[in-house]
Amino acid sequence: MSKLAEFRQFREKMNERILAADNLEIRRFFALDSRVYENGALDTRTKELLGLVASMVLRCDDCITYHVVRCMEEGITDAEMFEAFSVGLVVGGSIVIPHLRRAVATVDELRAENPGT
Amino acid sequence: MSKLAEFRQFREKMNERILAADNLEIRRFFALDSRVYENGALDTRTKELLGLVASMVLRCDDCITYHVVRCMEEGITDAEMFEAFSVGLVVGGSIVIPHLRRAVATVDELRAENPGT
Amino acid sequence: MSKLAEFRQFREKMNERILAADNLEIRRFFALDSRVYENGALDTRTKELLGLVASMVLRCDDCITYHVVRCMEEGITDAEMFEAFSVGLVVGGSIVIPHLRRAVATVDELRAENPGT
Amino acid sequence: MSKLAEFRQFREKMNERILAADNLEIRRFFALDSRVYENGALDTRTKELLGLVASMVLRCDDCITYHVVRCMEEGITDAEMFEAFSVGLVVGGSIVIPHLRRAVATVDELRAENPGT
Amino acid sequence: MSKLAEFRQFREKMNERILAADNLEIRRFFALDSRVYENGALDTRTKELLGLVASMVLRCDDCITYHVVRCMEEGITDAEMFEAFSVGLVVGGSIVIPHLRRAVATVDELRAENPGT
Amino acid sequence: MSKLAEFRQFREKMNERILAADNLEIRRFFALDSRVYENGALDTRTKELLGLVASMVLRCDDCITYHVVRCMEEGITDAEMFEAFSVGLVVGGSIVIPHLRRAVATVDELRAENPGT
């Protein structure tokens, strides 16, 4: 199984497990975490880019993978994605580079999965 | 002098001081830090929002102030700004709240300076 | 006005300002940020200590001040507070020390305000 | 070998290796890192929860695993653990979620190992 | 009183206050925090540069001020200091710039205090 | 393949991929990230130690691996390396320990590869 497939499977399974637990605050946080990327004054496309760059500078691989997937679903081009990466890199510094490498590998894996995009 | 005026004055004075020093790498970094927000595949407006949210989750008040100023110069509305803040808040957590308070105070100070915006 | 009084005034004023803005996600986040410290399986006293140590290792002075105030309202003794600080210091390292200094100054200011505590 | 078993084995082996090296400061730091969780004004149970939430907001999987194990040895219930997680999640934001997923998986793995707990 | 004088006075006063408190772990940490910069396989000069760059990338102004002072006591030249700054800037990214501005202001204030250095 | 070999292979492949992409800012950042460690007022040896400790306190395993490799190429001894680690540990706190374990494992793997060093 590819790393991406593993990530998706584990993410789905554990989200279900966590939301089934009897903790209202965590469930509310998860709901809020979805709503915040919905169309509003800013569109989902822009918000997903915001989520992507925030994830890069905070250096969270799973979060980056999630937002890369979502950005591509929203039709972000490679040129746009790399410019978002460049902002993350300059703001966050060279410490971001290992995450950038994995982010680009994810972009490539997703383009290979969906040759038409 | 307001906090915002103090920030501007100190920023300008020290940037001059730093760029006058004999260190090529620092000068190149500063140049790169300007270029990365220029129009490209993504427009400056979007990139300034990316810089703003990255600064919020990394919790740097001066960086937030700088990008709030730039966002308003780019015509970002209050509704758009608050949605960018909401993404930063959900990604970064309650630890971001003190910076959100100061960011909103900066927005209000800038609107008061330029009533037409 | 003392730093503590300034913090309280600015905090109250800006919370009002932010909650009055037309952004539902931010309001929901603020509500969640209150609920999460309420009595449950863990009592408020323990949760405020958790909030305090989390704020220390993330090095947010305003958050530390807020939780120090709340811990003292919950009857946390100085000996307990310093042990919480010691966990924060060992987990977070010497980079936490400047925040520890300000946290202890806040404890002392609060004890001076309320000699009976 | 499960991830948890791998973590334990590597942790034990490398701690031995590091403490055998001729560096007094590192040995002292390791000693301090044990002492700080011992019973005092706050009990070990509370201190382990502090260590757990500090590890969550700083997003260190190994540290979270270690403190989850210790919390369960101290008799922390699932309801208490999830409330500690909820504080970590609200303080640290959505960037904490991937670590929360792995933390809950560790809780489940440990409960499966020790059905009586 | 200059910011630097204020920093020194507050630092000294609070260190005394903290070390007088009845908490052995905190005292041991403070002792370790001194020892770690003493001459050994690496000399104090190099270790102070390590402390400075670590403080920059973690973005702690008080820590940066402390290590800038110590570096200048160890005879670090401006050219060396700026190269250390350049490493911190590239590793940590543009988020470091506000701290770099304040670090350079501290260097200038110290050179003005001690024209011979 | 060892973890170290995997790291090297992935790093080389992805750097090539990233530098081949049509994004000037990212290429410039990568160039700057090389130059900043070159001999100047500070020598490469010292700068690599700075990069190592910065990577430790920011807790980036790939960055630590890279700088450990470079430090050993520059002839840094184990005693010097452990003192650099001790500074990183005291500045960054116990949250650094899992990265310290992996860093020491990398040192041991490299010494085994090159018994003469």
Side-chain angles (χ1 to χ4, degrees), chain E residues 31-96:
Chain E
L32 198 49
D33 185 34
S34 295
R35 287 186 62 94
V36 92
Y37 296 100
E38 285 174 15
N39 274 312
L42 296 172
D43 57 10
T44 292
R45 210 174 177 281
T46 303
K47 287 175 164 182
E48 285 297 338
L49 284 169
L50 295 177
L52 176 61
V53 172
S55 300
M56 274 197 90
V57 297
L58 289 175
R59 300 185 285 124
C60 171
D61 284 327
D62 279 8
C63 310
I64 295 171
T65 299
Y66 175 77
H67 288 293
V68 163
V69 170
R70 289 288 300 114
C71 280
M72 288 175 73
E73 289 171 357
E74 294 294 323
I76 303 286
T77 65
D78 276 14
E80 290 170 324
M81 194 91 83
F82 270 77
E83 290 202 4
F85 289 161
S86 75
V87 173
L89 181 59
V90 168
V91 174
S94 67
I95 209 81
V96 164

Side-chain angles (χ1 to χ4, degrees), chain A residues 10-11 14-15 17-18 21 23 25-26 29-30 33 54-55 58-60 62-63, chain D residues 59 78 82-83 85-86 89-90 93-95 97-102 104-105 108:
Chain A
F10 183 73
R11 182 177 182 277
M14 292 314 300
N15 279 8
R17 161 71 179 93
I18 289 167
N23 188 294
E25 285 70 35
I26 293 179
F29 190 95
F30 273 63
D33 185 35
S55 301
L58 290 175
R59 301 184 285 123
C60 171
D62 280 8
C63 310
Chain D
R59 300 183 287 123
D78 276 15
F82 271 76
E83 291 202 3
F85 290 163
S86 75
L89 181 59
V90 168
S94 68
I95 209 83
I97 291 178
H99 305 273
L100 173 63
R101 284 188 200 113
R102 290 188 283 267
V104 172
D108 290 348

Side-chain angles (χ1 to χ4, degrees), chain F residues 2 15 21 30-32 34 36 45-46 48 58 76 96 103 111 117:
Chain F
S2 76
N15 279 8
F30 273 63
L32 198 49
S34 295
V36 91
R45 208 174 180 281
T46 302
E48 284 297 337
L58 290 176
I76 302 286
V96 164
R111 295 280 182 228
T117 59

